Amino acid sequence: MTTTMTTADRSTSTCTASTSTTSTGTGTGTGSDLARRWAAYLTAEVDAASLAVFRAGYGALIAWEVVRYALHDRIHRYYIEPGFFFSFVPFVRPWGGTGMYWHFGALFVLALLCAAGLFYRVSAALLCAALTYVFLLDKAQYLNHLYLLCLLGLLLAAAPAHRALSLDRRRARRASPGGAPPSAPPETVPRFYLFALKAQIAIVYFYGGVAKLNGDWLRGQPLTMWLAEHGDAPLVGPLLASPATGLALSYAGLFIDLSMGFLLFSRRTFPFGAALAVAFNLSNALLFKIGIFPYAMIAALALFGDPSWPRRRLPFLFKGADVPRDDAPVPSPAAPRRPALPLALLHGYLLFHLVVPLRHWVYPGDVAWNEAGHRFSWRMKLRDKSVSELGIHVLDPRTGVREPLDVEAWLTSRQVGEMCTRPDMLVDFAHHVADRLQEDSGVRPIITARVVASLNGGPPRALVDPTLDLASQPRSLLALVQPP
């Protein structure tokens, strides 16, 4: 609409404005306006600098994790030595021979390529696939940080995280006359790529706090028991051994997890939230053996705050770079069509990860005891389940002969330790044993287990029904095997 108009034009304009006001005054109009603003916010171009810094940190962490696996001989112990694997997907099995060593070598190279932003589109996709393959191999090796790295790898593979601070960008600049490729996109990305990564991190924190809203955690367990194990530490040992310390830190962890996402998303509270996140994760790294998880959460801080912060704080990394403009203004409703598919995928992804951690609420029983719904739910360092008795027996239905099974002849010590507290893994193992023995004898045996365990220092009790044929139970992630 032009600023100069005739009387007739003004009359028409007034009528149109009145109609528009009436429309937007309704709930539908307001909702549509909010949806347009939200879409405009997510699709606005922002500086790619913070995304690039996180990409570099992500790749470096995975490369370091591969080195740690090699130094501690975990590749052989976890993926070559076992004769059976509790695979998440039945057809996913480790490579034969020295294949797993080659696989981790490829992971190392791909992680470095991702960090450097070289051949990024291919290397990031292959890195995500290679990491997810390792994750799916064995439930006994399930770690929340490995699951998180797979998810972040998926989001990074979809994002143009190589538009800044990458060798791909430098190669393109050198290959162009004048040093700036006219066809290359600016060093900006649509905001929804950053938002997806930040939301994923916030979900991890928030659901880590939601999981702590249980009776044991609110009375200070199992943290009090774990801190007491450090009672002989110099200077702070007596303090850590105090029950009051365990109770206080339990509530501190609860409130930090529940509030951290909100603190980091707000620009006003981001500095405080970032400092708190560093202190919180470093203390977890010192007290508990949880691998690179705390460092991954610290690296994720690069995503929050102003997207252009690295250009101010680390200007030497961006010398000769194409300085992008500030955040794009919100487009008007008459702007070109929004990328509907990426936005739909983003909201579907976030909805899925908001619902999955809550699925244990629809399962019967206590998730901390039966483990149904424990995985993929960010239930981190919540329970101490000790097993005082483990016995698996094989019953021949023809003769009625019942014999104990030498579990250690079938599984590694780590697999036994993980399986004896997880009913779904007991079911997986029972199926494996029954299948093998049926192949030898032609008759499918009955597999039972007597497992007595204690949760967070509570009284010992049976984890599964000792009379139940585990080999006849359905195999799934749920695998609810109720105690008697």
Side-chain angles (χ1 to χ4, degrees), residues 309-470:
W309 73 262
R311 297 186 192 274
R312 298 190 302 274
R313 303 294 183 180
L314 307 168
F316 60 92
L317 294 177
F318 295 88
K319 288 183 178 179
D322 303 324
V323 180
R325 57 189 174 83
D326 293 335
D327 290 9
V330 177
S332 65
R337 185 178 58 183
R338 318 272 184 217
L341 180 59
L343 293 184
L345 291 175
L346 168 66
H347 289 88
Y349 177 90
L350 294 179
L351 178 62
F352 177 83
H353 287 282
L354 287 170
V355 172
V356 166
L358 303 177
R359 70 191 188 282
H360 68 87
W361 287 359
V362 300
Y363 298 159
D366 180 6
V367 59
W369 180 251
N370 61 31
E371 305 286 329
H374 174 82
R375 299 187 189 94
F376 316 110
S377 301
W378 313 118
R379 301 182 59 82
M380 299 167 288
K381 305 297 291 182
L382 286 175
R383 75 268 193 270
D384 186 291
K385 195 182 294 182
S386 58
V387 175
S388 57
E389 182 180 348
L390 170 65
I392 296 181
H393 292 80
V394 179
L395 174 65
D396 188 330
R398 296 172 302 179
T399 63
V401 175
R402 184 172 177 267
E403 297 180 342
L405 183 73
D406 183 5
V407 179
E408 294 183 353
W410 293 72
L411 302 172
T412 66
S413 58
R414 179 177 174 85
Q415 287 178 316
V416 174
E418 294 295 315
M419 177 191 72
C420 64
T421 61
R422 293 164 172 79
D424 69 305
M425 292 178 65
L426 286 166
V427 170
D428 288 344
F429 180 61
H431 276 268
H432 172 65
V433 172
D435 291 343
R436 288 284 299 275
L437 296 181
Q438 185 176 8
E439 290 176 3
D440 295 338
S441 65
V443 176
R444 189 170 185 81
I446 296 173
I447 310 295
T448 59
R450 175 167 175 78
V451 184
V452 179
S454 171
L455 176 65
N456 294 334
R461 53 192 174 118
L463 183 65
V464 297
D465 186 341
T467 66
L468 186 66
D469 179 16
L470 298 180

Side-chain angles (χ1 to χ4, degrees), residues 130-151:
L131 196 62
T132 303
Y133 164 80
V134 172
F135 172 78
L136 294 174
L137 284 175
D138 198 347
K139 296 176 186 177
Q141 314 308 333
Y142 175 88
L143 293 169
N144 281 292
H145 80 250
L146 184 54
Y147 174 49
L148 176 61
L149 290 176
C150 290
L151 296 178

Side-chain angles (χ1 to χ4, degrees), residues 67-83:
V67 171
R68 292 177 66 245
Y69 266 61
L71 291 177
H72 293 89
D73 197 30
R74 292 176 184 170
I75 302 173
H76 180 269
R77 290 189 292 112
Y78 292 178
Y79 305 109
I80 298 177
E81 178 185 341

Side-chain angles (χ1 to χ4, degrees), residues 263-273:
L263 293 174
L264 295 179
F265 260 103
S266 171
R267 290 197 176 187
R268 290 186 177 181
T269 58
F270 169 72
F272 172 73

